[in-house]
Amino acid sequence: MIPKETIDLILDTARVEDVVGDYVTLKRQGGSLWACCPFHNEKTPSFHVVPSRGIYKCFGCGKSGTAVGFLMDYEKLTYYEALRYLAKKYNIEIKEEEETPEQIAARQRSESLMAVSEFARKYFCDQLKEGEGHAVGYRYYRNRGITDATIEKWSLGWAPSGKSTFVDAARAAGYKDEFLIAAGLAIQTEEGTLIDKFRERVMFPIHSVSGRVIAFSGRTLKAENQAKYVNSPETEIYIKSRNLMGIYFAKSEIAKQDRCILVEGNVDVVMMHQMGIGNVVASCGTSLTEEQIRLIKRFTENITIMYDGDSAGLHAAVRAISLILKEGMNARVVFLPDGDDPDSYSRKHTLEEIREFIASHEQDGISFKTDLLLADAGNDPIKKAGLINEIADTVADIPDAIKRQVYVDTVARRFGIEADIIQERVHKTRGEAKKRVPNAAPSAPVVEEPVERRLLEGDKITGPSERELLGFIVRYGRDDLNFETDSEFYSPDSVQTVAEFIDDALAADDTVFTNPAYQAAYEAYFELYDKGVDQDNIVLTLLNGENREIAAVVADLATEKYELTVNNFSNALTTRDSWLTTFVPRAILAYHEKRVTLMQNDLMRRLASASPQEQTDIMARLGKLSDMKKTINLKLGREKK
């Protein structure tokens, strides 16, 4: 058995575009990649890969899934064989073993730390709404130009000034001291008492790529406090070098724009997003790391560095350029006018002005580094020679041979020397740093005939309606249904999510889907939903799960494009809220109408062989079902009164 933490590492590391790219040539269009499908013969590309979501779908044959699913379908591997293939591809060591009681405890401990971090997020948010938090923390956010919508989106909060205010609240809510300490939210003094880690600070949560709060960064508002920021320590759920502030909110926009903007400060990233530049992340109060760059690489190969223009910012940018190039990515640099950082600049300019400034002032990373070092070298020939060697060593880090050669020629022209001299230095540096290259992935087998899409078994009558309901759940399960006050579904006391509304409607008469694959996916979804897992993580867990029948259903629904009728299209032009409140109830009614048809068909089959008394009872039931069906069709607008 492969340990869960190893499986998680494999799935987190694997990039669907990497895996699929071993078999087909992918071409970028916007934030997506396209190719001719490897599963069936076609001349026009209909095979769609979405790196930001880690999934693929062919709109021709219907194949869809994640990296692990692709290998299972194409190479005909089992789930664990596919995991081992990915582990080998990404040089991840697997130590297979049975899950011990200690491992079970570790997994449960991790979930406990996640739970206490979520409690802290809500606690800090609530503190901002009244008293000290509202008077000091909220005022700070507003003075910085941060809107209420941004405060809510990012879960910005306030840590009160009391020594153990948070600890007391967490204990009262039933959280154990050991988890408060382990999550980096409390500190145990020498006397053995527990005090708050964060006190009298505005709080910035740090989200994982899947959206779960795993750490915090707290900023003091007191000028005399030397510790401007206090950040969460590394914990079992938070490793600084592997996380980026804002990655959860930025990942889709990064993929869409095929570029990530890297800034330094918490407020910088928040304000840039608020301005409308959503492909921005920050490095969590640490120097940029290889792991953080690889995280960005899941969504784009292009990074624009936007650091402060002081000495520290310039030094950090030079270091970042080398790391980015070494990972095979493209580095560009842009510095704002003197005295400005992304936060202050965004408050002085419009969205278009900021975009125009970035586009007109960003500079290729190596050109920037060359200019910077040349200014430092001046006319000193020794310094200039050292500079040329340093730039050549930076070029040597680039893994792509074509890019390397282009930079060799560019650097040679810049310094007015022979390209062969630069090339020689590059070859020498690469030779010294050469490491063992992992074995390449095996070549793709030849597909001798088109692979037909495997259709899920299910009842022909109710199957389409079950699919529609499950589709709403997979795509919008945690979205609230905000019915208008004149709606029959309006409740002044509570607002249900799409998933809860559908589940309640089906539970009313113990309804079970006739399609077993849909029913299995339905149950698996709600098992995670009831544990509080967020929507994206539910879908990702099901896509990467061992049950490939469920994964296939979810992949198909998660990637399916809505094909609206002409009548529905006009409604869809309003808002998603309005669209959902209209069509989720309609989908439930349509499903019940199909179920009534099933019951009618069953009774009609029994009618021929029934006794006279049984026939009378069946006819009475058929009459009731007919009335029920008419009522449903009236609500659907299919019949007139």
Side-chain angles (χ1 to χ4, degrees), residues 487-600:
S487 169
E488 64 177 297
F489 304 112
Y490 173 75
S491 172
D493 300 321
S494 64
V495 175
Q496 287 186 302
T497 64
V498 169
E500 292 164 353
F501 186 85
I502 293 175
D503 191 48
D504 281 356
L506 301 188
D509 57 356
D510 297 323
T511 302
V512 175
F513 285 162
T514 55
N515 184 312
Y518 293 163
Q519 181 62 28
Y522 186 94
E523 292 173 357
Y525 175 93
F526 278 98
E527 182 179 351
L528 295 168
Y529 183 96
D530 292 340
K531 292 178 180 178
V533 180
D534 64 87
Q535 184 72 11
D536 287 348
N537 222 26
I538 291 177
V539 173
L540 188 61
T541 300
L542 297 179
L543 286 172
N544 282 322
E546 186 175 355
N547 188 319
R548 302 318 296 167
E549 187 172 48
I550 291 176
V553 170
V554 174
D556 195 39
L557 294 174
T559 57
E560 183 179 68
K561 290 182 177 178
Y562 271 113
E563 297 180 11
L564 303 175
T565 65
V566 174
N567 290 333
N568 290 351
F569 185 72
S570 61
N571 290 311
L573 290 178
T574 55
T575 63
R576 187 161 83 174
D577 275 0
S578 176
W579 188 80
L580 287 173
T581 55
T582 300
F583 289 102
V584 170
R586 286 181 62 85
I588 293 171
L589 285 171
Y591 174 57
H592 284 313
E593 190 270 341
K594 297 297 184 184
R595 292 185 62 239
V596 170
T597 299
L598 270 182
M599 289 186 279
Q600 287 176 321

Side-chain angles (χ1 to χ4, degrees), residues 4-159:
K4 182 181 182 301
E5 60 267 27
T6 305
I7 293 176
D8 290 342
L9 177 60
I10 293 169
L11 296 176
D12 286 344
T13 304
R15 297 169 58 208
V16 67
E17 66 272 29
D18 275 353
V19 176
V20 174
D22 288 338
Y23 299 90
V24 295
T25 300
L26 295 168
K27 295 183 178 180
R28 184 172 292 277
Q29 294 181 21
S32 302
L33 300 166
W34 293 82
C36 288
C37 180
F39 295 107
H40 79 287
N41 293 329
E42 62 176 7
K43 294 182 179 179
T44 303
S46 62
F47 190 83
H48 185 207
V49 177
V50 189
S52 63
R53 300 180 65 191
I55 56 178
Y56 68 88
K57 179 178 176 69
C58 177
F59 293 104
C61 69
K63 282 286 185 182
S64 57
T66 59
V68 69
F70 180 88
L71 291 171
M72 292 177 68
D73 285 339
Y74 197 80
E75 296 281 17
K76 306 302 181 186
L77 303 177
T78 67
Y79 180 64
Y80 287 99
E81 286 171 345
L83 288 175
R84 293 185 186 97
Y85 178 101
L86 291 171
K88 182 178 180 181
K89 178 178 177 65
Y90 291 98
N91 296 316
I92 297 172
E93 183 181 4
I94 293 179
K95 294 182 179 179
E96 298 190 39
E97 56 184 1
E98 292 294 329
E99 192 173 29
T100 64
E102 291 76 15
Q103 290 172 327
I104 295 172
R107 175 167 46 80
Q108 293 172 340
R109 179 181 174 83
S110 177
E111 285 303 316
S112 296
L113 296 180
M114 288 289 191
V116 76
S117 292
E118 174 59 23
F119 171 80
R121 179 200 67 80
K122 187 175 186 305
Y123 173 83
F124 294 138
C125 287
D126 290 343
Q127 290 297 310
L128 197 66
K129 298 174 183 177
E130 57 187 20
E132 175 189 74
H134 192 270
V136 182
Y138 179 74
R139 184 175 63 185
Y140 165 81
Y141 289 128
R142 298 300 293 164
N143 288 342
R144 294 297 294 263
I146 299 175
T147 65
D148 289 348
T150 298
I151 290 172
E152 182 177 357
K153 174 183 175 181
W154 290 77
S155 294
L156 304 182
W158 171 257

Side-chain angles (χ1 to χ4, degrees), residues 384-437:
K384 190 172 181 180
L387 157 65
I388 295 173
N389 282 333
E390 184 172 344
I391 296 298
D393 290 347
T394 301
V395 173
D397 283 337
I398 301 173
D400 184 88
I402 294 176
K403 286 184 183 178
R404 252 193 341 265
Q405 187 59 54
V406 170
Y407 275 114
V408 164
D409 295 339
T410 302
V411 171
R413 286 195 301 270
R414 178 69 187 276
F415 290 105
I417 60 178
E418 294 295 327
D420 289 347
I421 298 175
I422 303 295
Q423 189 73 272
E424 184 180 349
R425 173 73 183 200
V426 169
H427 284 161
K428 179 182 177 182
T429 302
R430 286 183 63 80
E432 292 172 352
K434 190 175 182 180
K435 298 178 180 178
R436 181 175 176 273
V437 179

